[in-house]
Amino acid sequence: MIADSIAGALAVVAFGGGTLAGGAFGRRKRPVETATEPDGVAPPVTADRRSADASVRDAITAYGEQLGTIDLAPSSPETDEVAIGHFRRALDCYSRASEASAVVDLTTSAGREFALAELARGRAALAALAGRRREAVELLAAVERFETELAEVSEGADVDADAVELAHRAVAAQVAEQVREVVRSSASDRGGQVEAALARGRAALAALAGRRRETVELLAAVEGFETELAEVSEGADLDAVESAHRAVVTGVAEQARAIVRSTASDRGSRVGAALRRGGEALDAWSRRRAETERLAARVAALRAELEALSAAAGADATEAAHLATGRAALGRCVELLGSAQPERRQKVDDSVQVIRTALADVERRRTETAALAALIAAYTAETARAAAPAADADDAERDHHAAVLSALERATGAAASSGGDRADRVGEALAQGRAQLRLLSRRQEEGPGLHRLVRQFREQLEGVASAPEQTEQTERAEPAGPAVGEYREAQDALAVAATELAGATEQRAGLVREAVGRGRAALIRFEAVRSGRPVPLELVSRDELRGTRTERFRNITDERFLYRGRGRGEFLLDPPEAGAPALLDVTFRGEGPFKLEHVRRTAAGSARRARVDIWRGAYQGTQLVGPDVTHLAVDCAGEDEWSVRVLPLTQARPLTTTARGRGPEVLRCEQTGHGLLTVQLLRSGHGSVQFVEDRILRRTGWGLDLLVGDLLFTTTNSEHREEKWVYGSGLLLVEADGHWALDLSPRTPPINDFALPPVAPELERTLLDILAEGTEDARARAVAELRRVTGAGPSISRAYVADLARHR
């Protein structure tokens, strides 16, 4: 009956909706007909009324289409009598609205209100239908979730389920069937009935799951107990005590399984009590077994140790006595291990202690012997690596070597003795030998360098040119005059250096370098006095005032023109050619900051100029130092290393065509005419290039300011390129903290006011003679003479004459 009603309703919807839609679309396509009634018969239809008519008809059409989209299959689970009733009311509303649109004039307000009211009631019926179907879907989903839970809990339960579990599962299955019947019914409160039934079903599932978990846990506890029993029983040689423990444990395991299979409500507590009794018996059995195994393992290990020590060769009488004591105690342990005495463990422990004491005595004796032998072997290897004194070795070196060998003999004799203090005597002998070995090694390492240092200083002293006035009484000619005091101080320093070189003190190297440094300083002052140059002054340092003699010349190395140190330092500059400029090859290794200053300290006063100012990071560069610089001062952190090598100008890198580099450098430019110099700076924070001609380098009386040459350019651009004309040979001073490139190509520039042709030495002497008058007229005549001979412009000629007058 219900199926026929639903089928008929769907047929009506299909037919009605199609007809309604067709009619509505047809009416919208027909043109509006004009009224033909005479005036006074019917009111005219206005455009607004025609629009309201069309709007109502469209609403009826849309409602019919909405009904056509509803799928109300009789076989659907959510279709029941209530849902069908809602659907029928929606169809009736549609029918009345459609009929009203055919017989009622919708252009009137009464007709439109009737049709729209029917549509509103129909939509309310459709909303009630949708709510009923949603409720059915939700209830069915809840039922399916419950059935899924039931299937999961019941999975595999048919094998070992007991009567309690089967009863809980039957209740849950019955609830599932009842819930499905309630969902299919038309009861108005079916939602509450479903929830109540599912609550009863879930309670049954919870009871079923709890019962199942309890069974699994109890079985796991019993199986764990049986596993422990199997582990203890494996490979056991049971005595009477262990057999009794095993019988109790086996009975407990069987009793526990019987309790788990029962339906008793307190089976959990009963199984726990049984397993506790079994655990106590099992623990007692395990302790007995562990004690037996532990004692047997200790006895076996001690027997192995005794056999290993007895098999080792080289045992003396003391070791043999210790071994005999240990064997006797081992025999007592074996007898106690097989007995059933309650105090066997204490007696075995006492015997084991006797054995261990004997073994420790033997091991200590042998370890001491091996350690002493290793010490002597290591010392022997050290003496073998140390070079024997050469044929020309001095007495101190031979004495050190003899003391090293004597210490080895004493240590070997002490190790072979049987005294209790042999280790102390061996250590004392080796300590004395190593002290002598360090002195010998240091002497041999420092010897070549110190000998070379003293030899070079002797040659330097012998190479000093004698003054014309000499005494006839001396067997060897010596300088005379005001510089004789400095020369004799240098001779005294050489004598001190030779004496310290032959000495045996640990400060020999520092004392030799200090003497040579003092002698070199005296020769520098000697040369300055003889040549009429300002004499450099040496300041007394705070370290010297405290009596530390070697601090003053600590930066001196075995090479004459190489200075090296850590942290701050200041030293007297010894140029390769006295009174001439030189090159400084500076290297700094550290994090920075690093600072290098050129210092002039003479009787006329002191001055400083920073040549490397607060440089951070490693530094490598070459720079020019003037002839009036007397000292170099370095300022950096105490652990940072630095070195300065003084080179003659001839060691500058030659620039023929192209040169590449990074950082400060001095290059030698060798050319006879003009050249076009192209300079490129790459990734440099600042940079400058100076050209110092050879004629300027040959002059004396430089100031600390080295800008005496031609400053080609200076820039702070990170990348810079510039071309400059240079003439003749000289030095190019490159200052940059990045990469640079120089390219020199010989060219002949036009004679103009920006390029000066070669100036011959004869012309320069003529100009100097004119400038000797010291007047402005003389300077003007010098400029005119220079322009007449060379054809140079006025500006470049005046600049050249001004520079010549400043350095004449």
Side-chain angles (χ1 to χ4, degrees):
M1 187 69 176
I2 296 174
D4 295 339
S5 299
I6 295 174
L10 292 176
V12 171
V13 171
F15 175 76
T19 303
L20 180 59
F25 291 142
R27 284 193 297 272
R28 278 195 294 270
K29 292 178 181 178
R30 288 196 299 267
V32 179
E33 298 178 357
T34 57
T36 58
E37 291 80 358
D39 295 338
V41 177
V45 180
T46 64
D48 292 338
R49 293 171 63 187
R50 286 194 299 270
S51 175
D53 180 6
S55 175
V56 173
R57 294 182 186 281
D58 289 343
I60 295 172
T61 302
Y63 180 69
E65 293 174 353
Q66 182 180 2
L67 288 174
T69 60
I70 297 176
D71 182 12
L72 197 65
S75 59
S76 178
E78 63 268 16
T79 302
D80 55 10
E81 292 294 339
V82 177
I84 293 173
H86 292 319
F87 189 62
R88 283 174 176 169
R89 286 194 300 275
L91 288 176
D92 293 342
C93 292
Y94 174 71
S95 299
R96 288 191 293 271
S98 298
E99 292 173 359
S101 67
V103 300
V104 178
D105 186 2
L106 297 180
T107 59
T108 64
S109 60
R112 288 195 301 273
E113 290 176 357
F114 176 80
L116 292 176
E118 291 298 329
L119 291 180
R121 284 190 292 273
R123 291 190 183 95
L126 288 181
L129 172 62
R132 182 73 177 182
R133 297 181 75 182
R134 280 196 304 273
E135 181 186 26
V137 171
E138 293 173 357
L139 293 177
L140 288 174
V143 174
E144 291 175 356
R145 287 195 298 272
F146 176 76
E147 291 174 343
T148 301
E149 295 178 13
L150 174 60
E152 292 176 353
V153 175
S154 302
E155 185 178 1
D158 296 333
V159 180
D160 55 355
D162 55 19
V164 177
E165 292 183 20
L166 294 176
H168 290 317
R169 188 169 60 176
V171 171
Q174 183 180 7
V175 167
E177 295 178 359
Q178 292 175 354
V179 169
R180 283 198 172 273
E181 292 178 0
V182 172
V183 173
R184 288 192 294 269
S185 69
S186 60
S188 60
D189 61 338
R190 61 176 180 173
Q193 296 180 20
V194 168
E195 286 298 327
L198 290 180
R200 294 194 303 275
R202 292 192 183 93
L205 288 182
L208 174 61
R211 180 75 178 184
R212 173 59 54 84
R213 284 194 301 270
E214 183 185 27
T215 301
V216 171
E217 292 172 358
L218 293 176
L219 288 175
V222 175
E223 291 174 357
F225 179 76
E226 292 173 342
T227 301
E228 295 181 19
L229 172 60
E231 293 175 353
V232 175
S233 300
E234 185 178 359
D237 296 330
L238 304 180
D239 55 17
V241 178
E242 293 186 18
S243 298
H245 291 318
R246 181 177 182 180
V248 172
V249 172
T250 304
V252 167
E254 294 176 356
Q255 181 183 4
R257 280 198 171 275
I259 295 173
V260 172
R261 288 191 295 269
S262 69
T263 59
S265 59
D266 60 341
R267 61 174 183 167
S269 60
R270 294 172 60 189
V271 168
L275 292 182
R276 281 193 296 274
R277 293 194 303 274
E280 293 173 357
L282 193 60
D283 290 341
W285 185 14
S286 299
R287 286 194 298 273
R288 177 76 179 183
R289 171 59 54 77
E291 180 183 288
T292 301
E293 293 177 351
R294 185 170 61 254
L295 293 176
R298 292 173 66 185
V299 172
L302 292 173
R303 178 183 289 108
E305 292 184 34
L306 280 171
E307 292 177 353
L309 289 176
S310 300
D316 54 18
T318 304
E319 293 181 14
H322 293 319
L323 291 174
T325 302
R327 293 191 194 95
L330 180 64
R332 290 194 299 272
C333 287
V334 173
E335 294 176 359
L336 292 170
L337 193 61
S339 68
Q341 299 180 14
E343 67 276 6
R344 65 166 184 167
R345 184 179 61 184
Q346 182 61 41
K347 294 182 179 180
V348 170
D349 289 343
D350 295 340
S351 299
V352 166
Q353 184 61 37
V354 174
I355 299 173
R356 290 196 178 280
T357 302
L359 292 176
D361 293 338
V362 175
E363 287 288 351
R364 185 165 51 252
R365 179 77 178 180
R366 292 191 177 180
T367 301
E368 183 182 89
T369 302
L372 294 177
L375 291 175
I376 294 175
Y379 180 76
T380 303
E382 294 177 17
T383 58
R385 287 193 298 269
D392 57 347
D394 53 24
D395 294 338
E397 185 174 343
R398 295 181 186 278
D399 293 341
H400 290 319
H401 189 262
V404 168
L405 298 180
S406 175
L408 178 60
E409 294 178 359
R410 295 197 308 274
T412 304
S417 66
S418 57
D421 60 340
R422 61 171 183 165
D424 295 336
R425 290 187 287 127
V426 169
E428 182 181 357
L430 295 182
Q432 295 174 358
R434 282 196 172 89
Q436 294 295 323
L437 189 60
R438 285 193 298 271
L439 294 175
L440 175 62
S441 300
R442 184 184 299 115
R443 194 172 188 87
Q444 290 177 341
E445 292 174 0
E446 297 173 347
L450 295 178
H451 280 283
R452 181 173 59 254
L453 179 66
V454 175
R455 183 176 60 254
Q456 290 176 352
F457 179 60
R458 181 181 289 108
E459 294 172 355
Q460 179 184 359
L461 184 60
E462 292 174 352
V464 173
S466 301
E469 63 278 9
Q470 297 175 353
T471 60
E472 298 178 358
Q473 290 80 8
T474 56
E475 180 180 354
R476 180 180 175 185
E478 290 186 358
V484 67
E486 303 292 351
Y487 184 82
R488 288 176 179 173
E489 183 176 350
Q491 286 181 320
D492 294 341
L494 177 60
V496 172
T499 302
E500 297 294 346
L501 182 63
T505 61
E506 293 189 13
Q507 297 83 14
R508 180 180 70 144
L511 295 174
V512 170
R513 290 192 178 94
E514 192 243 353
V516 172
R518 186 162 49 86
R520 286 179 181 171
L523 286 184
I524 292 173
R525 293 192 297 270
F526 170 77
E527 291 289 353
V529 172
R530 286 211 314 175
S531 61
R533 291 182 287 105
V535 179
L537 297 182
E538 282 293 306
L539 296 183
V540 179
S541 65
R542 297 178 180 176
D543 296 323
E544 290 180 280
L545 294 177
R546 287 196 297 264
T548 308
R549 297 176 58 192
T550 59
E551 286 299 314
R552 182 180 178 188
F553 299 97
R554 63 179 181 273
N555 302 123
I556 292 178
T557 64
D558 295 341
E559 299 183 34
R560 176 181 173 185
F561 301 110
L562 176 63
Y563 304 88
R564 185 181 290 118
R566 290 177 180 268
R568 293 183 177 182
E570 182 172 336
F571 52 89
L572 184 66
L573 181 63
D574 185 12
E577 181 182 354
L583 298 180
L584 300 180
D585 186 7
V586 183
T587 302
F588 171 71
R589 297 181 181 90
E591 299 296 331
F594 170 67
K595 184 176 183 179
L596 175 65
E597 292 181 312
H598 292 185
V599 182
R600 179 182 61 209
R601 186 185 298 122
T602 64
S606 299
R608 289 174 175 265
R609 176 180 172 83
R611 294 300 298 147
V612 180
D613 194 5
I614 312 302
W615 184 283
R616 296 189 179 276
Y619 177 87
Q620 174 67 49
T622 306
Q623 56 183 246
L624 181 65
V625 60
D628 65 332
V629 176
T630 61
H631 297 74
L632 294 178
V634 177
D635 188 3
C636 61
E639 296 300 322
D640 293 340
E641 299 180 3
W642 55 267
S643 64
V644 177
R645 187 182 297 275
V646 188
L647 303 171
L649 296 184
T650 56
Q651 294 295 316
R653 178 157 60 124
L655 172 63
T656 55
T657 56
T658 301
R660 302 289 185 271
R662 183 178 183 273
E665 188 170 353
V666 179
L667 296 95
R668 181 70 185 175
C669 176
E670 296 286 353
Q671 62 178 359
T672 58
H674 283 91
L676 185 61
L677 179 67
T678 302
V679 184
Q680 299 182 69
L681 300 180
L682 304 175
R683 295 185 297 277
S684 180
H686 70 279
S688 66
V689 176
Q690 301 179 60
F691 179 64
V692 184
E693 302 179 33
D694 282 343
R695 63 183 181 84
I696 297 178
L697 294 173
R698 289 191 295 267
R699 296 173 182 171
T700 60
W702 284 31
L704 282 180
D705 190 352
L706 295 182
L707 301 178
V708 295
D710 185 9
L711 179 61
L712 300 183
F713 76 90
T714 180
T715 181
T716 57
N717 295 332
S718 60
E719 295 191 6
H720 184 81
R721 183 182 184 278
E722 193 163 343
E723 294 181 346
K724 290 292 183 179
W725 289 99
V726 294
Y727 174 76
S729 60
L731 297 180
L732 284 169
L733 311 184
V734 180
E735 288 288 340
D737 55 4
H739 296 273
W740 49 264
L742 302 180
D743 294 282
L744 181 64
S745 58
R747 294 188 186 180
T748 303
I751 302 299
N752 53 32
D753 204 25
F754 301 98
L756 183 68
V759 178
E762 295 81 5
L763 176 58
E764 185 172 310
R765 285 194 295 271
T766 301
L767 297 176
L768 288 173
D769 293 341
I770 298 174
L771 292 173
E773 300 177 11
T775 63
E776 290 296 330
D777 180 65
R779 181 170 295 190
R781 284 190 286 112
V783 171
E785 180 66 16
L786 179 61
R787 295 190 61 190
R788 183 186 67 79
V789 175
T790 62
S795 299
I796 192 68
S797 297
R798 283 193 295 271
Y800 182 84
V801 169
D803 180 72
L804 193 63
R806 186 167 58 252
H807 296 96
R808 61 187 175 87

